[in-house]
């Protein structure tokens, strides 16, 4: 199911909707994943920042707007807005994509590819996506094995899986806010991800999490690395808030 125990859409599926909307629009522009692969290229998501204004309920209709902007011919910046039928804000996101040569595995300048003219004239977008600090303490960690279900069309772990791993690593005592009977009182409202290296089928990965210091801090840093070589796959930062209707204790 795409919804959780409280009847709202899970974070992992909001990330999936981002990717689906981006690919549908890219198809109309002639630069979808399939269209690029036919010419020897691929899109790679490099950075993303997602802000959830509210989690949509089961069976609620979402309206998604997305638009790209070519930044210095090196990146495709792409923004997203999710709204409800009354135009109320649900989610906003900023993303940064690299175009990669499949033969070399290296990023290329978009103006030196067959697709250089396609995105000219697109509206400017928010391009302020910074790097994420590495953790310096490990407060919790979990080990995951990459499943076939986790893979995308490039046979790499889908981008939405990394935030899911990070969320799973946040300690239950924090999510429950000290209330043992409910492990779902707090939820992530902002997630930033820097994707560094791809994981593939069968990899064992470790997600390590650090609670950022502060008595009322609701932020975590996360590092995901591959077990056998210690290669860092992604760094993440998550911010959490209480669900609506939950009073301060």
């Amino acid at each position: 199911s795409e919804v959780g125990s409280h009847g709202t859409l899970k974070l992992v599926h909001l990330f999936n909707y981002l990717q689906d909307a981006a690919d549908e629009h890219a198809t109309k522009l002639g630069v979808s994943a399939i269209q690029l692969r036919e010419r020897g290229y691929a899109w790679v998501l490099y950075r993303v920042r997602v802000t959830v204004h509210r989690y949509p309920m089961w069976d609620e209709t979402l309206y998604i707007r997305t638009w790209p902007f070519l930044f210095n011919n090196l990146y495709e910046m792409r923004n997203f807005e999710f709204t409800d039928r009354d135009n109320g804000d649900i989610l906003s996101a900023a993303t940064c994509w690299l175009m990669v040569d499949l033969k070399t595995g290296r990023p290329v300048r978009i103006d030196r590819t067959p697709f250089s003219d396609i995105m000219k004239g697109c509206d400017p977008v928010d391009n302020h996506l910074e790097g994420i600090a590495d953790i310096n303490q490990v407060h919790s960690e979990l080990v995951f094995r990459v499943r076939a279900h986790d893979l995308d069309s490039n046979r790499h772990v889908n981008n939405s899986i990394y935030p899911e791993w990070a969320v799973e690593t946040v300690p239950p005592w924090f999510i429950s806010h000290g209330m043992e009977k409910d492990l779902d009182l707090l939820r992530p409202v902002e997630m930033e991800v820097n994707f560094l290296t791809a994981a593939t089928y069968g990899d064992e990965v470790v997600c390590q999490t650090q609670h950022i210091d502060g008595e009322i801090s609701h932020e975590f840093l996360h590092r995901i690395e591959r077990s056998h070589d210690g290669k860092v796959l992604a760094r993440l930062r998550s911010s959490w808030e209480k669900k609506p209707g939950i009073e301060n204790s």
Side-chain angles (χ1 to χ4, degrees), residues 82-133:
F82 288 24
T83 56
D84 58 25
R85 65 177 64 219
D86 297 319
N87 204 35
D89 292 335
I90 289 179
L91 175 149
S92 56
T95 60
C96 175
W97 302 75
L98 300 174
M99 189 177 289
V100 172
D101 187 318
L102 290 176
K103 289 183 179 179
T104 66
R106 300 181 62 84
V108 296
R109 288 182 60 92
I110 298 176
D111 60 344
R112 296 175 183 173
T113 73
F115 312 101
S116 58
D117 295 328
I118 291 176
M119 291 179 291
K120 286 185 177 179
C122 294
D123 294 335
V125 301
D126 174 12
N127 58 22
H128 187 65
L129 291 175
E130 298 180 348
I132 298 173

Side-chain angles (χ1 to χ4, degrees), residues 231-243:
K231 190 76 172 180
V232 178
L233 307 177
R235 293 191 178 98
L236 306 90
R237 184 188 67 83
S238 61
S239 299
W240 297 64
E241 289 183 0
K242 289 184 178 180
K243 289 187 174 181

Side-chain angles (χ1 to χ4, degrees), residues 5-232:
S5 58
H6 288 257
T8 56
L9 195 66
K10 296 175 183 176
L11 181 67
V12 61
H13 296 296
L14 287 172
F15 269 81
N16 283 330
Y17 287 2
L18 289 177
Q19 294 180 98
D20 291 344
D23 194 58
E24 182 174 337
H25 187 228
T27 298
K28 295 178 180 178
L29 295 176
V31 288
S32 70
I34 293 175
Q35 291 163 325
L36 259 64
R37 192 180 303 118
E38 292 172 348
R39 306 290 290 272
Y41 297 92
W43 287 118
V44 173
L45 183 57
Y46 178 45
R47 289 180 178 172
V48 58
R49 181 181 67 244
V50 171
T51 302
V52 182
H53 306 292
R54 75 171 180 86
Y55 278 80
M57 300 296 296
W58 177 80
D59 204 30
E60 184 174 357
T61 299
L62 304 183
Y63 298 86
I64 302 175
R65 177 174 176 255
T66 180
W67 64 102
F69 178 68
L70 197 59
F71 182 68
N72 288 345
N73 285 309
L74 296 175
Y75 312 103
E76 183 203 62
M77 310 300 300
R78 178 177 283 275
N79 277 17
F80 300 82
E81 293 176 351
F82 288 24
T83 56
D84 58 25
R85 65 177 64 219
D86 297 319
N87 204 35
D89 292 335
I90 289 179
L91 175 149
S92 56
T95 60
C96 175
W97 302 75
L98 300 174
M99 189 177 289
V100 172
D101 187 318
L102 290 176
K103 289 183 179 179
T104 66
R106 300 181 62 84
V108 296
R109 288 182 60 92
I110 298 176
D111 60 344
R112 296 175 183 173
T113 73
F115 312 101
S116 58
D117 295 328
I118 291 176
M119 291 179 291
K120 286 185 177 179
C122 294
D123 294 335
V125 301
D126 174 12
N127 58 22
H128 187 65
L129 291 175
E130 298 180 348
I132 298 173
D134 198 6
I135 63 175
N136 53 45
Q137 296 183 64
V138 178
H139 293 144
S140 62
E141 69 177 29
L142 287 175
V143 177
F144 300 91
R145 179 75 65 177
V146 176
R147 309 163 299 171
H149 175 75
D150 299 328
L151 304 182
D152 60 18
S153 59
N154 293 319
R155 298 186 179 181
H156 297 152
V157 169
N158 190 293
N159 298 319
S160 64
I161 300 298
Y162 296 88
E164 186 175 29
W165 286 336
V167 168
E168 286 293 326
T169 314
V170 172
W173 61 260
F174 173 81
I175 301 175
S176 66
H177 205 60
M179 299 179 65
E180 295 181 359
K181 294 183 178 180
D182 195 339
L183 296 181
D184 200 18
L185 295 182
L186 294 170
R187 58 185 176 185
V189 294
E190 186 167 272
M191 180 72 73
E192 294 183 65
V193 190
N194 286 177
F195 298 98
L196 303 173
T197 304
T200 57
Y201 177 72
D203 281 348
E204 181 183 271
V205 301
V206 180
C207 183
Q208 300 174 324
T209 290
Q210 175 184 356
H211 184 218
I212 297 177
D213 291 338
E215 291 185 3
I216 59 173
S217 173
H218 287 177
E219 292 194 358
F220 289 85
L221 294 175
H222 315 270
R223 178 175 64 209
I224 300 175
E225 61 182 39
R226 195 162 45 213
S227 295
H228 79 267
D229 61 2
K231 190 76 172 180
V232 178

